[in-house]
């Protein structure tokens, strides 16, 4: 720019201390502008407002004079419009996505098992849903287990319709508590008493050879040899069973010529506790129920399955060998009681005999009360007189 603008073009619109008086551009400012222009930096030059800018400025001035405020970028009215536009966009989005989402929800409602992991466990067999294992028993239950549904046991599902379906399998259900020192007995000695009790229970009630009528050598070997009277009684019971010498009072046994297990699993439920004895000893209390699914071996038996339920309560004592004349590591049996559900009454051949629906009942008629063999909430009556009836098997 070589021409100097007129005085009118160099006048500004701002008002100074003297309201209404215009202020001209000084010679120093104009000289600075000329130098900037010559250097190619025109940004610092004072610019004349365009006609549009002058129009907008005048309109704003008039609005301000009237006390009117222009609509801001995000005033309430503007935000309301934005929300309405967003709502329309959402409706359009739902129109696009809503149909497939609704279809998916309908499909899931009809087939919940299609969800990853099937969180509602829908569509699974009843046995799969019900078979989730129970936590370990740590105290006496407050009542009998609830009904497990109506189902007929089969070779494929020998525990169908039984509360034992959720019980532990075999020896996995015989878990001793953590040992601690008791009186003069060390933690290791208490642990020994617990493990010896476990060996007795497993060999007497779960070992396949014992269940087939074999001699439970491991169970007999853990008993204190000085319990000669008990060991003689058990020995006679195993070799020459009769009413006075019945091995099923301590051992679970089935005649292999008549019966076999339906599958390889015996269900187990119970608990083991210990406390200090009165005579420098530790007393172990064991209370377990075993459920045996059984089938007849004759050709006409087809696939009929019945269950026998045996509950056993043992009190075991291990004495301090430093204070008593005992065999170190051996346990003394001070109590053994049992309740047997679904076995022929007054049959003393050394075996348990479950009753099958398609076979004429054997043994004497049941004259005792009806009991639930799965009810572990009550103390067992020991050697009660009479043979009763079970409410379920």
């Amino acid at each position: 720019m070589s021409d100097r603008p007129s005085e009118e073009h160099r006048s500004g619109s701002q008002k100074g201390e003297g309201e209404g008086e215009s202020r001209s551009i000084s010679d120093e400012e104009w000289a600075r502008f000329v130098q900037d222009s010559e250097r190619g930096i025109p940004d610092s030059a004072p610019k004349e407002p365009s006609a549009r800018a002058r129009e907008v400025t005048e309109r704003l001035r008039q609005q301000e004079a009237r006390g009117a405020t222009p609509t801001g970028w995000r005033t309430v009215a503007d935000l309301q419009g934005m929300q309405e536009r967003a709502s329309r966009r959402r409706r359009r989005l739902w129109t696009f996505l809503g149909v497939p989402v609704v279809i998916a929800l309908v499909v899931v409602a009809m087939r919940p098992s299609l969800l990853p992991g099937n969180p509602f466990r829908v569509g699974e067999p009843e046995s799969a849903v019900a078979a989730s294992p129970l936590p370990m028993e740590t105290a006496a239950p407050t009542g009998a287990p609830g009904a497990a549904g109506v189902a007929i046991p089969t070779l494929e599902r020998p525990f169908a319709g039984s509360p034992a379906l959720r019980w532990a399998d075999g020896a996995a259900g015989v878990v001793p508590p953590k040992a601690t020192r008791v009186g003069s007995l060390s933690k290791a000695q208490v642990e020994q008493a617990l493990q010896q009790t476990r060996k007795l229970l497993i060999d007497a009630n779960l070992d396949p050879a014992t269940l087939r009528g074999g001699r439970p050598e491991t169970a007999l070997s853990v008993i204190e040899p000085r319990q000669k009277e008990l060991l003689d009684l058990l020995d006679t019971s195993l070799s020459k069973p009769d009413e006075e010498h019945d091995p099923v009072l301590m051992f679970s046994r089935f005649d292999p010529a008549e019966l076999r297990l339906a599958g390889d699993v015996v269900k187990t439920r119970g608990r083991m506790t210990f406390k200090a004895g009165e005579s420098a000893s530790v007393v172990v209390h064991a209370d377990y129920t075993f459920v045996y699914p059984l089938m007849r071996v004759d050709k006409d038996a087809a696939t009929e399955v019945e269950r026998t339920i045996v509950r056993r309560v043992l009190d075991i004592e291990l004495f301090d060998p430093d204070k008593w004349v005992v065999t170190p590591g051996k346990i003394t049996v001070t109590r053994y009681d049992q309740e047997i559900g679904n076995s022929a009454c007054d049959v003393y051949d050394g075996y348990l005999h479950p009753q099958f629906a398609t076979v004429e009942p054997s043994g004497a008629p049941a004259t005792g009360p009806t009991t639930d063999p799965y009810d572990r909430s009550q103390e067992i009556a020991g050697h009660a007189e009479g043979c009763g009836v079970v409410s379920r098997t």
Side-chain angles (χ1 to χ4, degrees), residues 189-219:
Q189 289 173 311
V190 173
E191 177 68 21
Q192 189 175 48
L194 295 170
Q195 291 300 328
Q196 294 291 65
T197 303
R198 183 175 188 268
K199 285 183 180 180
L200 192 156
L201 286 165
I202 292 174
D203 194 48
N205 300 283
L206 297 170
D207 184 83
T210 300
L211 298 181
R212 291 193 299 267
R215 185 177 174 86
E217 294 291 357
T218 300

Side-chain angles (χ1 to χ4, degrees), residues 167-355:
W167 293 8
D169 293 352
V174 185
V175 181
K178 184 178 180 180
T180 59
R181 182 181 182 88
V182 170
S184 62
L185 294 174
S186 67
K187 176 182 176 181
Q189 289 173 311
V190 173
E191 177 68 21
Q192 189 175 48
L194 295 170
Q195 291 300 328
Q196 294 291 65
T197 303
R198 183 175 188 268
K199 285 183 180 180
L200 192 156
L201 286 165
I202 292 174
D203 194 48
N205 300 283
L206 297 170
D207 184 83
T210 300
L211 298 181
R212 291 193 299 267
R215 185 177 174 86
E217 294 291 357
T218 300
L220 296 171
S221 69
V222 301
I223 298 175
E224 168 61 62
R226 287 180 170 79
Q227 276 197 284
K228 186 171 175 53
E229 184 177 350
L230 173 62
L231 290 172
D232 287 346
L233 174 64
L234 294 176
D235 187 67
T236 301
S237 299
L238 291 165
S239 58
K240 298 177 181 180
D242 57 32
E243 186 174 356
E244 299 297 325
H245 305 84
D246 193 350
V248 300
L249 299 181
M250 176 75 83
F251 311 113
S252 296
R253 309 169 80 240
F254 303 94
D255 187 350
E258 296 180 3
L259 302 167
R260 66 181 179 88
L261 281 178
D264 300 322
V265 175
V266 174
K267 289 292 187 175
T268 307
R269 181 92 178 143
R271 65 189 182 277
M272 193 185 305
T273 59
F274 66 92
K275 64 180 182 179
E278 298 179 356
S279 306
S281 63
V282 58
V283 176
V284 179
H285 179 76
D287 184 341
Y288 287 87
T289 300
F290 305 91
V291 182
Y292 304 94
L294 299 154
M295 301 177 65
R296 291 179 290 135
V297 298
D298 59 84
K299 295 181 180 179
D300 297 331
T303 58
E304 186 179 12
V305 176
E306 289 291 348
R307 293 183 288 255
T308 291
I309 302 97
V310 180
R311 182 182 176 188
R312 298 197 184 276
V313 176
L314 300 176
D315 283 338
I316 304 297
E317 200 160 4
L318 186 142
F319 294 92
D320 187 344
D322 293 334
K323 299 184 178 182
W324 292 90
V325 180
V326 293
T327 306
K330 300 297 183 179
I331 54 178
T332 299
V333 180
T334 60
R335 174 194 177 190
Y336 61 106
D337 287 327
Q338 67 289 316
E339 283 183 346
I340 299 173
N342 190 23
S343 184
C345 298
D346 300 334
V347 176
Y348 304 104
D349 61 355
Y351 300 111
L352 298 171
H353 295 277
Q355 301 296 290

Side-chain angles (χ1 to χ4, degrees), residues 13-236:
S13 60
Q14 292 182 345
K15 296 181 179 180
E17 294 181 359
E19 189 69 27
E21 297 180 0
S22 61
R23 182 174 63 87
S24 299
I25 299 176
S26 67
D27 293 335
E28 289 81 7
E29 289 177 331
W30 182 254
R32 215 169 29 249
F33 167 68
V34 172
Q35 292 175 356
D36 289 343
S37 300
E38 292 174 350
R39 289 196 302 267
I41 309 176
D43 292 343
S44 63
K47 299 178 181 177
E48 179 183 1
S50 66
R52 172 63 178 165
R54 288 195 300 270
E55 179 183 349
V56 171
T57 300
E58 179 61 21
R59 186 171 66 248
L60 292 175
R61 186 186 65 78
Q62 293 174 0
Q63 288 177 343
E64 183 175 2
R66 294 195 306 268
T69 303
T71 302
W73 178 48
R74 287 191 177 180
T75 59
V76 174
D78 194 44
L79 286 176
Q80 182 177 358
M82 293 173 63
Q83 291 170 351
E84 291 175 352
R85 290 191 295 274
S87 178
R88 288 194 295 270
R89 285 197 297 272
R90 285 194 295 270
R91 286 195 292 270
R92 289 195 297 270
L93 182 63
W94 172 251
T95 302
F96 179 72
L97 296 178
V99 173
V101 169
V102 169
I103 293 175
L105 290 175
V106 170
V107 171
V108 169
M110 297 177 63
R111 296 280 302 278
S113 60
L114 295 178
L115 288 174
N118 193 8
F120 301 109
R121 304 180 71 88
V122 177
E124 296 184 11
E126 178 186 349
S127 59
V129 176
S132 55
L134 290 173
M136 298 298 296
E137 184 178 286
T138 57
T142 57
V150 179
I152 298 175
T154 63
L155 179 60
E156 292 75 22
R157 298 182 59 205
F159 299 100
S162 166
L165 181 65
R166 300 181 61 196
W167 293 8
D169 293 352
V174 185
V175 181
K178 184 178 180 180
T180 59
R181 182 181 182 88
V182 170
S184 62
L185 294 174
S186 67
K187 176 182 176 181
Q189 289 173 311
V190 173
E191 177 68 21
Q192 189 175 48
L194 295 170
Q195 291 300 328
Q196 294 291 65
T197 303
R198 183 175 188 268
K199 285 183 180 180
L200 192 156
L201 286 165
I202 292 174
D203 194 48
N205 300 283
L206 297 170
D207 184 83
T210 300
L211 298 181
R212 291 193 299 267
R215 185 177 174 86
E217 294 291 357
T218 300
L220 296 171
S221 69
V222 301
I223 298 175
E224 168 61 62
R226 287 180 170 79
Q227 276 197 284
K228 186 171 175 53
E229 184 177 350
L230 173 62
L231 290 172
D232 287 346
L233 174 64
L234 294 176
D235 187 67
T236 301

